[in-house]
Amino acid sequence: MFKLKRVLPAALAALALVVSACSSGDDGSATRTKIETLRIGVIGSGNVLTGPLGFAHQRGALLPALAPLGAEKIEVFSFPNGPDLNQALVGGRLDVATYGDTPALVAKGSGLQTRLLAIAAVGYNAGVVAKNPAIRTLKDLAGKKVGVQSGSYIDRYLQGALKAEGVEAAQLIHLLSTDAEAPLTSGEIDAVALPDTNPNSYLRAFLAKGFHQVDSIRDNHPTLAGTSSSVSSQPFLDTNPDFGGTWQKVLSEANKYAQDHWDEYVNYEVAQSKLPEAVVRAAAQRDYFPEDVFSERGITLLTGTKQFLVEQKKIREDFDLQQWFYRPEQTKKG
């Protein structure tokens, strides 16, 4: 039987193994003066970059763009969720990370010394699916068990949507999207909240398998859309003052190239995902990838997310987003 856990996303022992696995070929410190191997953290599996940045790496464009910084090699480390990645980042085992807005904001609000280099993607969709035909709206989930990946933008969307609909009795259970089908099919959970972004567009994949949509960001709660954050630690940026601006330029150019070569990019997304091609193509959204690293829409969504997390006391100490944003012309630490 699949065992559900109402616990924090990762056991400490597992986290220690993940973090210790982040080696670099350098001295492993966030304050090393010579980068040589750039260590990038992502959410997922397989230790690979995805999205426009991964597309740039596959095309052989990423490393040359980082060469002026002294980077000779790129290592990618995958984590199951944002909280685990945060620990590796502030522990000096990663140089930069790209992941969801919620764990990035929570980390900053917990006092971790991070800076936001870019809002790398905007408008991410997610949704809730169920098997029981009697569950048609979020109000039908009162008192029910709902699976969701704790600490993610999907979690923040789900809690925000439930609050907006006045549903307070739903029992939220930490569950990775990769593990959700079996307990949903067996009835151990009544519904599950899932991402709708490549390469893990599980929302559409579950709909294709016969589960039905109960709610989604795009159809019901557009103000709760997710964003992707690219973050570095303040000590790393202090030691490597040219990195932040260079990374922002790399991200902007990667997004622009994907926009300008959309068919080629979508073919790349299809190749990166293990889900059916039709699902991946349907989930590909051109407007996810702004050229401006601090786009107006991205700032609006991020501001709303932070406000919600403060109200929910997920952020222990509120902070100024503008001071958190890394701008090459600014030297003030956030």
Side-chain angles (χ1 to χ4, degrees):
M1 175 181 290
F2 186 91
K3 295 183 178 179
L4 300 173
K5 299 180 180 179
R6 279 179 285 169
V7 296
L8 292 177
L12 291 179
L15 174 57
L17 289 173
V18 172
V19 174
S20 65
C22 295
S23 61
S24 69
D26 301 338
D27 64 7
S29 169
T31 57
R32 67 200 193 287
T33 57
K34 193 173 182 181
I35 293 178
E36 291 186 354
T37 300
L38 184 69
R39 306 161 304 174
I40 305 174
V42 299
I43 303 300
S45 61
N47 296 332
V48 294
L49 291 173
T50 59
L53 198 62
F55 188 37
H57 193 29
Q58 185 195 65
R59 294 185 288 108
L62 183 56
L63 189 57
L66 299 170
L69 299 172
E72 301 173 359
K73 181 182 177 183
I74 294 171
E75 288 187 354
V76 182
F77 299 96
S78 300
F79 295 79
N81 47 44
D84 290 355
L85 190 155
N86 280 330
Q87 293 300 317
L89 181 66
V90 300
R93 310 308 299 175
L94 297 171
D95 302 317
V96 63
T98 296
Y99 56 141
D101 51 19
T102 296
L105 287 164
V106 169
K108 175 62 178 175
S110 298
L112 301 185
Q113 294 184 25
T114 65
R115 294 295 290 274
L116 183 70
L117 301 182
I119 305 173
V122 300
Y124 278 167
N125 189 35
V128 178
V129 302
K131 178 183 178 182
N132 185 345
I135 299 175
R136 307 306 304 180
T137 71
L138 292 182
K139 292 185 182 296
D140 297 325
L141 293 177
K144 305 294 186 181
K145 294 180 179 179
V146 184
V148 63
Q149 186 166 313
S150 299
S152 66
Y153 87 92
I154 306 121
D155 185 13
R156 189 264 311 160
Y157 143 67
L158 176 61
Q159 294 194 48
L162 290 172
K163 180 181 179 182
E165 298 296 334
V167 181
E168 300 179 357
Q171 182 179 341
L172 305 187
I173 299 171
H174 171 61
L175 183 64
L176 297 178
S177 300
T178 52
D179 299 330
E181 185 174 356
L184 184 60
T185 300
S186 68
E188 290 180 78
I189 58 174
D190 301 287
V192 62
L194 299 165
D196 186 36
T197 60
N198 288 326
N200 301 314
S201 47
Y202 286 102
L203 174 62
R204 293 175 193 267
F206 273 53
L207 294 178
K209 292 181 178 181
F211 299 100
H212 65 273
Q213 180 175 299
V214 176
D215 189 90
S216 78
I217 290 173
R218 186 164 292 136
D219 295 336
N220 307 102
H221 298 94
T223 61
L224 297 178
T227 63
S228 175
S229 302
S230 192
V231 176
S232 276
S233 71
Q234 186 68 60
F236 177 73
L237 294 170
D238 288 342
T239 308
N240 300 276
D242 294 331
F243 177 78
T246 300
W247 187 252
Q248 289 173 336
K249 185 173 184 290
V250 165
L251 282 174
S252 179
E253 291 179 350
N255 280 2
K256 184 178 187 304
Y257 190 94
Q259 291 268 10
D260 293 344
H261 302 81
W262 187 246
D263 290 342
E264 183 182 351
Y265 173 71
V266 174
N267 288 337
Y268 161 79
E269 286 202 341
V270 169
Q272 288 293 305
S273 180
K274 296 179 180 178
L275 298 177
E277 179 176 346
V279 166
V280 178
R281 291 192 180 280
Q285 300 293 323
R286 192 191 294 261
D287 61 359
Y288 279 167
F289 308 120
E291 291 181 38
D292 184 352
V293 294
F294 295 121
S295 68
E296 182 178 349
R297 186 186 182 204
I299 293 175
T300 298
L301 290 173
L302 198 65
T303 299
T305 298
K306 182 173 76 74
Q307 180 180 346
F308 174 79
L309 293 172
V310 169
E311 293 171 353
Q312 293 293 305
K313 302 188 185 304
K314 299 295 179 66
I315 288 179
R316 294 205 306 252
E317 184 176 347
D318 199 0
F319 58 93
D320 187 334
L321 276 180
Q322 291 294 333
Q323 291 188 4
W324 186 41
F325 294 169
Y326 179 88
R327 301 185 189 274
E329 65 274 13
Q330 294 176 343
T331 58
K332 182 179 178 180
K333 296 181 180 180

